[in-house]
Amino acid sequence: MNQRKQAALHRLARLEGQVRGVIRMIEEDRYCVDILNQTLAIRSALAQVEVLILQDHADECVERAIASNDADAQREKFRELVSIFEKVCR
């Protein structure tokens, strides 16, 4: 397993703990702003995981399509990247 995948898994495990913490905060009726600050931190951490996965996709899948000299595969991977960027920009 490459370093990016390991980093993504590590961050996701931490995120899992953060989500459980937010659940406890809500159950304990903690201050709303404190809960929101934690959800913002979760969102930011998840975005970092997305970047790692996108980098891995570009380095592995897109690079493989480019090396294949298969124009259809290259177009497909390019369209995937454009689609992901469109979703991120929303």
Side-chain angles (χ1 to χ4, degrees), residues 3-31:
Q3 284 185 316
R4 275 195 213 113
K5 287 182 182 179
Q6 289 177 339
L9 289 171
H10 178 71
R11 289 176 189 221
L12 286 169
R14 272 200 332 238
L15 276 163
E16 185 179 22
Q18 286 180 293
V19 170
R20 281 195 303 270
V22 168
I23 291 169
R24 273 193 308 278
M25 290 175 79
I26 292 170
E27 290 171 345
E28 295 169 359
D29 204 25
R30 299 273 296 273
Y31 187 55

Side-chain angles (χ1 to χ4, degrees), residues 59-72:
D59 286 351
E60 299 289 330
C61 303
V62 175
E63 189 173 307
R64 196 172 323 126
I66 292 168
S68 76
N69 291 320
D70 179 343
D72 290 334

Side-chain angles (χ1 to χ4, degrees), residues 1 7 12 18 27 31-32 39 41 43 54 56 58 65 67-68 71-72 78 81-82 86-89:
M1 184 177 306
L12 286 169
Q18 286 180 293
E27 290 171 345
Y31 187 55
C32 296
T39 61
R43 194 180 309 185
L54 183 57
D56 199 55
S68 76
D72 290 334
F78 182 75
L81 287 175
V82 170
E86 284 175 342
K87 291 175 185 175
V88 168
C89 292

